Amino acid sequence: MAQLWGGRFTKETDKLVYNFNASISFDQKFFRQDIEGSMAHVKMLAKQSILSENEKNQILLGLESILIDVENGKLTITDEYEDIHSFVEANLIDRVGDVGKKLHTGRSRNDQVALDMKLYTRHEIIEIKGLLKNLLDSILKIMEQNIDTYMPGFTHLQKAQPITLAHHMGAYFEMFKRDRQRLEDIYNRMNYCPLGSGALAGTTYPLDRDYTAQLLDFNGPTLNSMDSVADRDYIIELLSALSTIMMHLSRFSEEIILWNSNEYHFVEIDDAYSTGSSIMPQKKNPDIAELVRGKTGRVYGALMSILTTMKGIPLAYNKDMQEDKELTFDAIDTVKGCVTLFTGMLSTLKFNKDIMKTSAMKGFTNATDAADYLVNHGVPFRDAHGIIGKLVLYCIEKDKALDELSLDELKSINPVFEQDIFEAISLETCVNKRITIGAPGPDAMKEVIQIYKEYLHF
Ligand code: ARG
């Protein structure tokens, strides 16, 4: 049991207490960031003449060697230490002797852990942004190839109006684009350095907090030492953004599961991304999409958990906050896994374009356009709505689509119909006439695709 404290204690910590309190099993995840933060701290201490140049160099060499040895597996992080901070400090003292004991000058584990967690999440935000970019790239590719791929658009899961696959994919492009922007916002808001805040009240050493912040690539130091050690807002914001990413992935998964069903048959999931059944030989299951949908709950759970943990904590640091780590790490790893797998599944998905088109032609997705035709010929919209409603009923009886009726049949319901109705309600016209920005018409779509390309290559 290696601890950084004990002077004022007369008894050993109970083993169960020690284990309950220890965080090494999970905070070893940011050993790199812990060492990186210590290096910046030591450089600043030397700049302020709190450590000599020689002491600084010895400590830096020691820290560097620990980093290398952990990375190449020569040094293992074991649970004989309470946390990653104790592990690094104890190993430093082992390697460089008494000078290593000066590392913690003007620092507390409270501002240290606040820094480590910020450095770690900041790095992961960049990683996740990169993975989202890959996802957006593959969505954009599908869009570019499917400007003319017709499919039904749904409301209430009922066929509503015809759209294109490019248009449908574009909706997800917007969602994941916002997700990336959210991550950028969080990064900018959190990017202030808490180191130098001490346990809660700063220190009496003449630290140069601007310099430390600069060394670690922060926008500046945090401005209140109590808040610095007690703030976990950025974790809550991050988990909220991750939950939103999962919500989007889950909706997309749900659609792929539906589209992959025997009934829809809009898509075919690649063999590499589906699984079989142990009993039913015919099955090819969309397990990846289902797992992504399922894991969404787990990420929401992390958000709820940290919100609840934080709600009753008085200022400043309290040990409750150690609970931020496991759930944040798990949520980050879950999201990274899901985005990666989902991108692979999406980019290998096969679209059954003919089936999608046929589906768009059935189900009266052109009924609104038929009503608009009547409006263009002087019929008030409410009347037109009623006339087309009757037509639909007639078609259901005859098991026909609107454009499969003869002109005579149409005229028997309303004399306003002329030969040009067929052109007006063809699938192509229904889509191509929707030309305002944001609509599925090909010109509008091309314009949007161009904007997306610039966004991704910026
Ligand atoms: N393991 C602790 C955490 O994750 C580090 C800070 C410890 N500070 C303290 N006063 N015990 O929050």
Side-chain angles (χ1 to χ4, degrees):
M1 301 202 296
Q3 288 164 334
L4 295 174
W5 42 273
R8 62 103 69 213
F9 288 78
T10 52
K11 253 186 178 178
E12 280 268 301
T13 321
D14 181 276
K15 185 72 183 137
L16 283 178
V17 173
Y18 180 85
N19 291 341
F20 190 65
N21 193 47
S23 52
I24 188 91
S25 63
F26 47 87
D27 63 17
Q28 58 180 278
K29 202 155 173 108
F30 49 51
F31 76 91
R32 259 187 219 95
Q33 286 76 13
D34 192 74
I35 293 175
E36 192 193 336
S38 289
M39 285 175 155
H41 182 61
V42 166
K43 286 179 194 165
M44 182 277 294
L45 290 177
K47 178 181 162 290
Q48 297 304 94
S49 308
I50 301 165
L51 289 183
S52 71
E53 278 298 301
N54 185 27
E55 288 169 331
K56 173 188 87 174
N57 292 334
Q58 286 184 62
I59 296 175
L60 286 181
L61 277 177
L63 288 171
E64 176 103 54
S65 72
I66 295 172
L67 183 63
I68 293 170
D69 287 355
V70 172
E71 264 170 356
N72 65 23
K74 258 207 215 148
L75 178 62
T76 335
I77 303 172
T78 61
D79 60 8
E80 73 186 277
Y81 303 93
E82 180 188 343
D83 53 30
I84 191 62
H85 325 299
S86 323
F87 167 83
V88 172
E89 195 172 313
N91 275 279
L92 180 69
I93 296 167
D94 269 357
R95 290 179 181 213
V96 303
D98 275 358
V99 65
K101 295 181 181 168
K102 295 194 173 184
L103 168 66
H104 212 49
T105 314
R107 190 175 71 171
S108 152
R109 275 186 296 168
N110 296 353
D111 59 347
Q112 187 178 358
V113 80
L115 172 71
D116 292 0
M117 195 61 181
K118 265 197 178 174
L119 290 175
Y120 184 84
T121 47
R122 198 178 70 166
H123 175 260
E124 292 299 312
I125 285 176
I126 307 278
E127 295 270 300
I128 298 170
K129 261 189 71 190
L131 295 176
L132 286 178
K133 161 110 176 19
N134 297 343
L135 175 55
L136 287 170
D137 277 333
S138 72
I139 294 176
L140 186 60
K141 203 161 154 212
I142 298 174
M143 290 178 73
E144 286 183 278
Q145 293 165 352
N146 290 286
I147 294 175
D148 304 320
T149 305
Y150 301 109
M151 64 179 285
F154 297 85
T155 62
H156 312 271
L157 210 50
Q158 311 268 321
K159 289 180 199 176
Q161 289 175 340
I163 53 161
T164 64
L165 181 56
H167 191 236
H168 199 115
M169 288 294 130
Y172 285 105
F173 192 101
E174 285 292 319
M175 292 179 229
F176 295 116
K177 183 179 73 170
R178 285 196 296 274
D179 287 332
R180 275 186 100 221
Q181 291 164 342
R182 250 186 289 278
L183 291 177
E184 278 161 28
D185 291 347
I186 295 168
Y187 189 104
N188 292 331
R189 204 169 13 261
M190 73 181 273
N191 199 25
Y192 292 88
C193 183
L195 201 63
S197 299
L200 78 163
T203 76
T204 52
Y205 295 98
L207 307 184
D208 183 345
R209 294 194 57 213
D210 283 295
Y211 183 66
T212 316
Q214 196 189 319
L215 286 178
L216 292 168
D217 221 9
F218 283 101
N219 293 336
T222 51
L223 298 184
N224 182 291
S225 59
M226 303 246 310
D227 180 57
S228 306
V229 293
D231 168 34
R232 297 294 182 272
D233 289 6
Y234 67 96
I235 292 176
I236 292 170
E237 284 191 51
L238 175 59
L239 291 176
S240 165
L242 296 185
S243 294
T244 309
I245 294 173
M246 289 305 293
M247 180 267 289
H248 291 152
L249 282 177
S250 185
R251 294 181 74 174
F252 208 164
S253 293
E254 171 67 11
E255 295 209 300
I256 290 176
I257 293 163
L258 280 174
W259 293 355
N260 184 64
S261 66
N262 300 338
E263 286 69 20
Y264 277 77
H265 205 48
F266 282 6
V267 298
E268 201 98 28
I269 298 177
D270 195 82
D271 276 2
Y273 285 90
S274 26
T275 47
S277 156
S278 61
I279 173 169
M280 297 165 283
Q282 85 282 13
K283 289 298 263 319
K284 205 176 125 184
N285 295 330
D287 287 26
I288 298 303
E290 288 171 11
L291 268 174
V292 169
R293 190 177 58 183
K295 284 177 192 289
T296 304
R298 179 166 166 168
V299 178
Y300 290 3
L303 173 62
M304 281 307 126
S305 175
I306 187 71
L307 277 169
T308 313
T309 297
M310 292 305 292
K311 82 186 246 300
I313 304 184
L315 290 179
Y317 178 82
N318 294 261
K319 200 58 178 262
D320 318 41
M321 283 144 79
Q322 179 167 289
E323 283 296 307
D324 64 356
K325 316 246 156 14
E326 285 163 287
L327 52 93
T328 304
F329 297 155
D330 183 70
I332 288 173
D333 293 344
T334 302
V335 168
K336 283 166 77 178
C338 288
V339 177
T340 307
L341 265 296
F342 192 91
T343 303
M345 177 180 66
L346 184 68
S347 54
T348 52
L349 203 59
K350 204 180 124 253
F351 294 94
N352 296 326
K353 299 184 186 183
D354 291 342
I355 296 176
M356 292 170 113
K357 183 172 182 183
T358 310
S359 171
M361 285 161 58
K362 299 251 161 70
F364 309 105
T365 58
N366 52 0
T368 317
D369 294 80
D372 288 345
Y373 171 90
L374 291 175
V375 171
N376 287 332
H377 290 73
V379 181
F381 182 77
R382 197 44 60 208
D383 294 342
H385 189 283
I387 294 165
I388 303 300
K390 268 201 212 123
L391 256 185
V392 167
L393 252 184
Y394 178 83
C395 286
I396 291 171
E397 251 170 50
K398 304 267 170 199
D399 193 24
K400 282 183 173 177
L402 284 175
D403 43 1
E404 284 169 355
L405 297 177
S406 69
L407 188 56
D408 285 345
E409 283 175 299
L410 288 164
K411 273 186 176 296
S412 72
I413 302 246
N414 196 289
V416 173
F417 288 114
E418 292 299 341
Q419 190 59 36
D420 58 352
I421 176 67
F422 297 108
E423 156 92 61
I425 62 171
S426 78
L427 193 56
E428 287 75 7
T429 311
C430 289
V431 170
N432 296 356
K433 265 191 355 203
R434 293 185 151 73
I435 50 171
T436 52
I437 193 86
D443 290 341
M445 210 65 241
K446 281 179 196 153
E447 217 178 307
V448 167
I449 285 175
Q450 189 50 37
I451 295 170
Y452 289 172
K453 272 190 182 161
E454 281 159 28
Y455 164 73
L456 285 181
H457 297 118
F458 168 61

